[in-house]
Amino acid sequence: MRGLSGTTLTLADDFAPPAREAWLKLVEKTLKDQSFEEALVRQTPDGIAIQPLYTSDSAPTVVRDLRARDADRPWDLRMALAHPDPRQAGAEGLKDLENGAASLLVAIDPTGRDGVAIGSADDLAKVLDGVLLDLAPVALDAGYLGPKAADWLGALAKAAPNAPLAFHMDPLTAFARTGASPGPIESHIVSAATVGARLAQTYAKASLFLATGRAAHEAGGSNTEELAVMAASALAYAKALVRTGLPMEEAFSRIVVGVTVDAEYFTGVAKIRAAREIWARTTSACGVNVPAKIEARSSQRMLAKADAWTNLLRLTSAGFAAAVGGADAVVLGTFTDAIGLPTAFARRQARNTQLILMEESHLGRVADPAGGAWYIDTLTDQLAQAAWGGFQAIEGAGGIVKALETGLVASAVNATREAQAAAYADKSRKILGVTVFPNADDKRPEVAQVDPAAFAVAGPDVRLPGPDSACPALAPMRFAAAFEEA
């Protein structure tokens, strides 16, 4: 700084360079009988130590996301449709698009229990009636119906080559979640890749596969376990596409990476950035340079039935993490998802949460806003390194299919889930509105009252020739459930 005389004053020269050892002595003096590690160092479920102070000396170099983002629409605000009635789901989707959403995610389940009751192209047409498919991206979540649903969506797009479709075929997540496949799981991967390669010839901008470790997350797994499954799934799908004749670079460019974000926003930011780093390392090892396309979805396991209004806080934190982490598309669930199907009010809250983060908080106006933060860069690197080790273990076991079938993934996820459940039980980790600050006057919000059986349809047979595959199922769970049912 300059003094009144115009001379430059170097105030820092009067102070010795800060030393960590001196700082530690002051900290230990303040802590008295407590140790530094016990009082100030926190362990994540991944076994990563979170320090109270980070400096430039320990900050690693990580992959930065320096894309110029659209100042008005920095990410794709994607709304999920899951009402069993195709026409009601379609009406909700149109309202979402009219009120700020940019794209739709259609969950498909012919029974209507876990998605829209769709069993044919005509049923899907009812949902997307009025949606301009060449302008509004439409993504699918169809499990083993993925290849057939992709063909339905491709037919509805009427060969518009620039339609930004997201077929999101993902048989591995269906296999991991249910623990079984109708026919060999390898055949389902091949079938999806074959359909995807054919559709890629018509739709130049379409993505074909969604590679995600969401099943591991929702079953109680750690961030690194989720990322490891994500990376192994991406590699399996890329190999399948290459076997159909697609060049390696195009194969990776047709895959979307899925990451789950919860209420721990610092970890969520680091996880998305770690996913980008893992993707860069994987593609580089395959001899190509393809930027990651990341879809972030909010966690279901973090939601609570008790005092469900607190879910609004959790979802806002998840949306913040997705935006700051640089996700390309963000899907926030509704705050009533743990109770039942959302009303129009709950859907509006899900939309507006993202709109406020985007248009009022301006979270997308800075490229990689967490970059340069020593804590976030360090955590990003730690997550990426640990997840890469898990990815190597999966590949060493023979790939993601073998790792699921042998229980390698399930055993790791189960151990992590039990450790996290124990932490919630002894209140070293807390659930707002459930284990701490419970609301005695809790009034459960309204949900849509629907009988899924009334809309169930006969879906096509998804069985493929050959023996069924099986693996220990990664069943979805919620940590709050243990305390709400007690």
Side-chain angles (χ1 to χ4, degrees):
M1 62 175 290
R2 290 187 177 275
L4 295 177
S5 64
T7 58
T8 300
L9 303 178
T10 54
L11 299 180
D13 290 346
D14 295 332
F15 299 90
R20 181 175 176 81
E21 292 73 18
W23 175 77
L24 281 173
K25 287 182 179 180
L26 291 174
V27 171
E28 290 170 355
K29 181 179 179 181
T30 303
L31 293 176
K32 297 181 180 178
D33 295 333
Q34 289 182 293
S35 71
F36 176 85
E37 287 74 16
E38 291 176 345
L40 299 178
V41 178
R42 181 173 64 86
Q43 295 286 332
T44 72
D46 310 279
I48 293 172
I50 304 298
Q51 301 290 334
L53 178 68
Y54 291 83
T55 67
S56 59
D57 295 335
S58 59
T61 300
V62 298
V63 173
R64 300 288 302 278
D65 177 21
L66 300 178
R67 296 168 299 161
R69 305 177 79 182
D70 187 324
D72 296 321
R73 278 284 169 170
W75 67 83
D76 180 342
L77 194 170
R78 182 165 291 171
M79 288 294 293
L81 303 180
H83 195 288
D85 181 0
R87 295 198 181 279
Q88 176 62 28
E92 292 177 348
L94 286 177
K95 189 168 185 178
D96 290 331
L97 294 172
E98 291 167 358
N99 288 277
S103 68
L104 301 173
L105 172 65
V106 184
I108 296 176
D109 177 11
T111 70
R113 290 192 296 268
D114 296 310
V116 190
I118 295 173
S120 66
D122 290 340
D123 292 336
L124 183 59
K126 295 175 186 176
V127 179
L128 300 179
D129 184 25
V131 178
L132 302 178
L133 295 178
D134 55 342
L135 297 177
V138 170
L140 301 175
D141 184 354
Y144 291 121
L145 271 175
K148 295 184 183 297
D151 272 334
W152 299 339
L153 181 58
L156 291 175
K158 299 178 180 178
N162 292 321
L165 307 176
F167 296 116
H168 271 16
M169 290 182 285
D170 185 16
L172 284 169
T173 293
F175 181 51
R177 184 172 293 172
T178 62
S181 72
I185 182 59
E186 293 89 347
S187 297
H188 284 278
I189 296 173
V190 171
S191 173
T194 302
V195 171
R198 172 167 47 77
L199 291 170
Q201 297 175 11
T202 302
Y203 298 104
K205 295 184 177 180
S207 59
L208 306 177
F209 280 99
L210 176 69
T212 178
R214 184 176 179 83
H217 170 89
E218 296 294 6
S222 69
N223 293 313
T224 57
E225 288 160 356
E226 176 190 349
L227 291 172
V229 172
M230 174 210 77
S233 298
L235 185 58
Y237 291 151
K239 288 180 178 178
L241 287 172
V242 169
R243 284 194 292 268
T244 68
L246 264 65
M248 183 73 72
E249 186 168 5
E250 183 177 3
F252 276 106
S253 70
R254 298 287 189 154
I255 297 172
V256 173
V257 173
V259 179
T260 312
V261 283
D262 59 20
E264 296 183 2
Y265 49 85
F266 282 128
T267 306
V269 171
K271 180 160 67 167
I272 291 175
R273 299 172 83 235
R276 185 172 289 107
E277 184 156 335
I278 293 168
W279 175 269
R281 189 169 179 178
T282 303
T283 54
S284 176
C286 294
V288 297
N289 181 18
V290 179
K293 291 180 290 187
I294 299 177
E295 180 193 78
R297 298 190 195 180
S298 60
S299 167
Q300 292 291 306
R301 81 179 193 194
M302 72 172 177
L303 300 180
K305 287 183 178 180
D307 199 4
W309 301 95
T310 59
N311 291 330
L312 290 168
L313 301 175
R314 300 181 181 97
L315 290 164
T316 301
S317 294
F320 176 90
V324 174
D328 298 280
V330 180
V331 186
L332 288 189
T334 72
F335 76 103
T336 61
D337 280 348
I339 303 173
L341 288 171
T343 61
F345 171 75
R347 296 188 67 81
R348 184 169 75 248
Q349 293 296 318
R351 287 195 310 270
N352 287 351
T353 296
Q354 287 204 58
L355 289 173
I356 290 172
L357 293 172
M358 184 184 297
E359 299 177 1
E360 298 185 24
S361 299
H362 303 295
L363 294 185
R365 288 184 177 267
V366 178
D368 195 15
W374 300 323
Y375 164 45
I376 300 296
D377 278 354
T378 301
L379 185 56
T380 296
D381 183 66
Q382 289 174 319
L383 288 174
Q385 295 290 350
W388 188 260
F391 169 50
Q392 289 179 311
I394 290 173
E395 291 305 303
I400 184 61
V401 171
K402 290 296 183 184
L404 289 170
E405 290 178 332
T406 61
L408 176 67
V409 173
S411 61
V413 169
N414 291 342
T416 303
R417 182 185 64 246
E418 291 173 3
Q420 292 196 79
Y424 284 116
D426 66 19
K427 295 190 177 180
S428 55
R429 295 186 69 183
K430 301 173 177 60
I431 305 175
L432 179 64
V434 180
T435 63
V436 292
F437 306 116
N439 183 2
D441 299 322
D442 177 28
K443 293 183 179 180
R444 181 167 291 192
E446 292 183 4
V447 294
Q449 300 298 325
V450 181
D451 178 13
F455 303 98
V457 295
D461 187 5
V462 296
R463 177 170 295 282
L464 296 177
D468 294 353
S469 296
C471 70
L474 298 177
M477 51 82 67
R478 290 185 309 106
F479 284 113
F483 308 96
E484 294 165 339
E485 297 168 356

